[in-house]
Amino acid sequence: MNNIRRIGVYTSGGDAPGMNAAIRAVVRTALYHNLEVTGIYRGYEGMIEGDFKNLVSRSVSSILQKGGTMLKSARCPEFRTPEGRKKAYDNIKAANIDALIAIGGDGTFTGAEIFSKEYDIPVMCIPGTIDNDLYGTDYTLGFDTANNTVIESIDKIKDTAASHNRLFFVEVMGRDSGSIALYAGVAGGAEAIMLPEKDTAIDELIDMLEVAKDRNKTSMIVIVAEGDKNGGAYNVAKRVKEKFDFYDTKVSILGHLQRGGSPSSFDRILATRMGYFAVNELLRGNTRGTVGIRGSKITSTSLEEALRNKEFKLDEELITISEVMNI
């Protein structure tokens, strides 16, 4: 793609730790190849409003370790309309942007594909979401950091649970994906994990808790993904307490603290590798793709394939392991 002289980079949708590290990698890799970089602030909303800024190497100094996104993010219903996308395109052309790198989740990818097809603009997408629910990659940016944040919280909750013979229901993020719940539940030693992908009836959960009580467990932790079909941690706790009141029952909803914080070493390295790879893929002629990691290798999947395979499957073996570990 010898006609690429300037790359536009933006973040969209929910923020995730590691986004800043990816922005840094995109900017510095592009500069290494003598390309110019425009930062598009507030995602598609900023694209429509022309909220652009030229980025140089010093623009991305000291952001590697920071959570959130220096480019800000926003939801943008207007971009879903042809009129909104036309405004965005006019601004992109006026800024002499030849290609785009989008960092975000499923909604970001969908918008990028539609926009790229409508106006024939090369685009590479970097998966940035704590939910770890995108096809084409084993891990998304922010998942490892969010998982560690949840585990740290579980460890602290277990201390107070053990001191008072309590049963804690801890709700974690994951409307449609149980990745955080599963990984944090296994790493945090939870007695049960409620996943959107797995129908766990309340009676089945109570049976598990009864078995644990009979084994003289003085406290227990149940991890509930916010998208669990039983209605979230408060509803699950209420229904369990009606039939099983041996323990003092408490609920803790971790909420948006899972999105924040300094990215882990894993997320910083992954973001750096993905940002570097995304720029080089554009220069190699990949005009509509996503970046991912498979095993230890950074790879590319076509954007169309990544969006067509929307159903991200949890590790079935890890689900089985979590059940074995609960005895």
Side-chain angles (χ1 to χ4, degrees):
M1 300 293 294
N2 294 328
N3 58 332
I4 293 180
R5 295 290 180 265
R6 179 180 289 273
I7 292 174
V9 59
Y10 62 98
T11 54
S12 177
D15 62 301
M19 281 184 165
N20 279 327
I23 295 166
R24 174 179 177 268
V26 167
V27 170
R28 294 191 171 174
T29 303
L31 294 174
Y32 176 82
H33 289 292
N34 296 315
L35 304 177
E36 294 180 301
V37 184
T38 294
I40 301 170
Y41 284 75
R42 296 178 292 117
Y44 294 117
E45 183 176 87
M47 198 180 292
I48 289 172
E49 296 178 5
D51 191 359
F52 301 162
K53 182 180 178 181
N54 187 56
L55 300 179
V56 297
S57 184
R58 297 285 70 82
S59 303
V60 292
S61 294
S62 301
I63 67 169
L64 179 69
Q65 75 280 12
K66 293 181 179 178
T69 164
M70 65 164 279
L71 292 178
K72 309 296 184 183
S73 187
R75 310 287 182 182
C76 185
E78 188 178 359
F79 193 79
R80 297 176 183 175
T81 69
E83 295 79 12
R85 293 192 295 273
K86 178 61 167 58
K87 290 180 187 177
Y89 175 72
D90 290 342
N91 288 330
I92 289 293
K93 295 310 292 180
N96 295 315
I97 295 171
D98 304 307
L100 295 169
I101 292 180
I103 307 169
D106 183 75
T108 302
F109 285 21
T110 300
E113 184 193 37
I114 294 170
F115 191 58
S116 176
K117 285 183 174 179
E118 274 185 344
Y119 295 105
D120 195 26
I121 297 175
V123 62
M124 286 297 298
C125 294
I126 297 174
T129 167
I130 66 170
D131 291 339
N132 199 44
D133 60 350
L134 296 177
Y135 180 84
T137 186
D138 294 339
Y139 299 104
T140 58
L141 297 185
F143 170 68
D144 184 70
T145 304
N147 192 48
N148 285 328
T149 297
V150 172
I151 292 167
E152 182 180 351
S153 299
I154 292 172
D155 289 346
K156 292 177 179 178
I157 289 171
K158 289 185 82 168
D159 289 343
T160 188
S163 298
H164 295 277
N165 285 5
R166 282 175 174 162
L167 165 61
F168 265 89
F169 291 87
V170 181
E171 183 174 296
V172 301
M173 282 185 164
R175 184 180 66 251
D176 300 314
S177 169
S179 285
I180 292 177
L182 177 59
Y183 279 73
V186 172
E191 275 67 37
I193 305 170
M194 309 288 281
L195 304 169
E197 297 88 347
K198 187 174 185 290
D199 288 327
T200 302
I202 295 298
D203 288 341
E204 182 183 348
L205 174 61
I206 290 172
D207 288 343
M208 288 189 282
L209 297 177
E210 287 279 9
V211 171
K213 179 180 75 69
D214 293 342
R215 292 192 175 116
N216 298 316
K217 288 195 174 186
T218 58
S219 64
M220 285 188 278
I221 302 287
V222 176
I223 304 298
V224 183
E226 63 181 347
D228 174 69
K229 295 176 177 62
N230 290 293
Y234 276 115
N235 191 54
V236 172
K238 179 182 177 182
R239 293 172 64 187
V240 168
K241 190 172 178 60
E242 289 171 354
K243 300 181 180 180
F244 180 77
D245 61 358
F246 180 80
Y247 298 99
D248 181 15
T249 301
K250 300 292 181 182
V251 175
S252 182
I253 297 178
L254 300 186
H256 281 77
L257 69 85
Q258 296 163 85
R259 286 197 186 279
S262 181
S264 64
S265 172
F266 179 87
D267 274 331
R268 296 183 198 193
I269 293 170
L270 181 61
T272 302
R273 294 180 69 190
M274 285 184 169
Y276 169 86
F277 188 87
V279 173
N280 283 291
E281 279 296 285
L282 285 173
L283 294 176
R284 280 191 284 265
N286 190 341
T287 60
R288 202 169 291 129
T290 69
V291 182
I293 183 168
R294 293 292 199 184
S296 61
K297 185 178 179 181
I298 302 296
T299 62
S300 175
T301 301
S302 76
L303 190 48
E304 182 179 6
E305 181 183 357
L307 289 170
R308 186 173 63 247
N309 294 280
K310 286 183 179 290
E311 186 176 350
F312 183 87
K313 293 183 170 30
L314 288 180
D315 186 334
E316 291 293 334
E317 184 181 39
L318 192 57
I319 293 176
T320 300
I321 290 172
S322 72
E323 294 167 352
V324 172
M325 292 299 108
N326 290 339
I327 66 171

